[in-house]
Amino acid sequence: MRGARTDVGTLADLHASATRLTGLDDFGVDDYREGMGVLLSSYAKEASLTPDGSKVTRGLLRTALVSRLLSEAAWRQFPEHAGVPLTRPVFVTGLPRTGTTALHRLLAADPAHQGLELWLTEAPQPRPPRATWDQNPVYAMLRAAYEQHHETNPSFAGAHYTAADQVEECWRLLRQSMTSVSFECLAHIPGYSEWLAERDWTTAYRRHRRNLQLIGLHDRDRRWVLKNPSHLFALDALLAAYPDAVVIQTHRAPRTVIASVYSLNAQASAGWSTLFHGEVLGRAQLALWSRGLRKFAADRARHDPAHFVDVDYDDFVADPIGTAEAVYDRLGTPLTPAARTAMTMLQAEGRGPAHRYALADFGLTVADVDAAFAG
């Protein structure tokens, strides 16, 4: 009997595995291969992955390739997707744990809006009618997988609850291009981090846009509302792909949120590496997100202020619906009774267990965080 793999794999065998799973073999243009090569080298030389970590990482990369295959096939099947307009999409961004998820889900609750459901980020296709999802085998498989994850990782569900049918971050679309900080949030891969910091993300965002045109093929009259903290690193590329985008930046003191960022990533990658935990994880994530916020500030200063809306975390927590109404005012769009009702119902839903964390768990102090984010 063949033993379980204890390595991430090679470029060739990961492609072969994705092809076996889907029966498809057209991965599109090869602009992603350089990043994938850098990733594989970093995992092999730097990440100190455990057997479990290698297995999970292999799965993450294969899933990205499978999604890429499915996108390519669907684009050929539905060529009319290329004509779908994306008018004034909204992108919510900011440091993780600054209210981006709650604000995104609140805005996406408006029936006039559409968000990116988690299962469609992994299996891109024109969004089927909601009533048919339970009969869709891909949706059923992903729903079961995330439900099982909640049962085995209840603390992570308290930190960031995910479900197959719930709107989620759009970094999985960027992952198709192997251009995403999600990889370095789950492993110690400084070689890839250095490569990505110098990378032009424009082609990744073009693919991102084309996937939205595909997924929203049957909902072309609904405004897209998306969310991803990693948009901090690629504002120029985002606005090149979406020149009329509205970018909402959430604000909260870094010293208040950064330990929560560390804790979330530590829980997500627990047991995957003998190195990526404690102070190693803390120092890497502090450098990553402080750099991202500085880059976004510098890039934002070069663009028309009309693109941007600012939301303070404390204001949002004190009055979520009022904050949403202020955002709508900036968009020049009325907050309809239907939208208000949907948002109010969402606010009434319960929350998960408390998420507990401390900077000291990662060998850092408040002074370290203040210094990293100074200026």
Side-chain angles (χ1 to χ4, degrees), residues 261-325:
V261 176
Y262 304 158
S263 177
L264 182 67
N265 292 340
Q267 291 184 54
S269 60
W272 296 0
S273 169
T274 59
L275 179 64
F276 191 64
H277 53 77
E279 187 169 356
V280 170
L281 183 155
R283 295 287 175 186
Q285 294 299 294
L286 182 60
L288 174 69
W289 291 108
S290 59
R291 175 171 59 83
L293 195 59
R294 287 193 302 274
K295 177 171 174 53
F296 185 83
D299 292 346
R300 174 175 169 169
R302 292 185 285 98
H303 290 283
D304 185 345
H307 280 295
F308 304 98
V309 180
D310 294 292
V311 169
D312 180 80
Y313 175 84
D314 292 331
D315 292 343
F316 175 53
V317 170
D319 186 5
I321 305 300
T323 300
E325 193 160 21

Side-chain angles (χ1 to χ4, degrees), residues 37-366:
V38 175
L39 266 173
L40 290 172
S41 177
S42 286
Y43 285 130
K45 297 176 181 178
E46 302 167 331
S48 298
L49 296 176
T50 64
D52 282 346
S54 293
K55 178 181 178 181
V56 172
T57 300
R58 179 177 173 81
L60 292 174
L61 294 177
R62 183 174 58 190
T63 295
L65 290 175
V66 166
S67 298
R68 190 176 178 95
L69 285 169
L70 295 176
S71 290
E72 295 289 339
W75 290 337
R76 291 191 298 273
Q77 183 179 358
F78 302 98
E80 64 272 26
H81 79 276
V84 173
L86 299 175
T87 305
R88 294 195 79 201
V90 173
F91 290 83
V92 179
T93 194
L95 287 177
R97 323 306 292 170
T98 60
T100 54
T101 297
L103 179 60
H104 172 227
R105 290 175 180 171
L106 194 69
L107 297 176
D110 184 343
H113 291 166
Q114 59 180 314
L116 189 59
E117 291 86 3
L118 178 55
W119 79 284
L120 293 173
T121 67
E122 299 199 9
Q125 60 189 280
R127 185 186 291 107
R130 180 62 183 86
T132 69
W133 290 8
D134 287 341
Q135 286 72 53
N136 185 300
V138 176
Y139 169 74
M141 177 186 67
L142 291 170
R143 181 187 62 188
Y146 282 100
E147 289 174 350
Q148 176 63 32
H149 183 266
H150 297 155
E151 291 180 8
T152 56
N153 300 275
S155 60
F156 185 83
H160 184 80
Y161 184 84
T162 55
D165 63 346
Q166 186 167 262
V167 295
E168 255 301 329
E169 296 177 356
C170 52
W171 55 261
R172 288 174 179 82
L173 298 184
L174 296 171
R175 192 174 61 179
Q176 286 191 18
S177 301
M178 302 296 158
T179 305
S180 171
V181 299
S182 64
F183 297 114
E184 55 191 301
C185 288
L186 298 174
H188 182 69
I189 44 176
Y192 175 78
S193 300
E194 292 173 10
W195 175 85
L196 186 62
E198 301 300 322
R199 179 74 172 171
D200 182 350
W201 295 40
T202 301
T203 57
Y205 273 90
R206 287 176 183 157
R207 188 177 186 91
H208 182 285
R209 180 186 176 97
R210 197 173 176 191
N211 270 302
L212 292 190
Q213 289 177 298
L214 171 71
I215 294 167
L217 180 62
H218 305 317
D219 299 287
R220 59 178 66 205
D221 294 329
R222 297 165 65 199
R223 184 203 299 265
W224 276 101
V225 178
L226 301 132
K227 170 252 178 173
N228 187 354
S230 72
H231 294 315
L232 291 175
F233 299 85
L235 179 61
D236 289 346
L238 186 158
L239 290 177
Y242 302 96
D244 63 343
V246 177
V247 181
I248 301 176
Q249 183 181 3
T250 54
H251 299 270
R252 191 181 182 190
R255 61 162 58 179
T256 305
V257 304
I258 204 70
S260 181
V261 176
Y262 304 158
S263 177
L264 182 67
N265 292 340
Q267 291 184 54
S269 60
W272 296 0
S273 169
T274 59
L275 179 64
F276 191 64
H277 53 77
E279 187 169 356
V280 170
L281 183 155
R283 295 287 175 186
Q285 294 299 294
L286 182 60
L288 174 69
W289 291 108
S290 59
R291 175 171 59 83
L293 195 59
R294 287 193 302 274
K295 177 171 174 53
F296 185 83
D299 292 346
R300 174 175 169 169
R302 292 185 285 98
H303 290 283
D304 185 345
H307 280 295
F308 304 98
V309 180
D310 294 292
V311 169
D312 180 80
Y313 175 84
D314 292 331
D315 292 343
F316 175 53
V317 170
D319 186 5
I321 305 300
T323 300
E325 193 160 21
V327 169
Y328 276 64
D329 287 344
R330 287 292 306 275
L331 294 174
T333 303
L335 183 64
T336 65
R340 187 182 294 274
T341 297
M343 291 178 182
T344 302
M345 291 177 63
L346 182 66
Q347 285 298 111
E349 293 181 3
R351 298 180 180 269
H355 178 208
R356 304 190 184 282
Y357 45 84
L359 277 173
D361 296 339
F362 303 93
L364 296 168
T365 66
V366 169

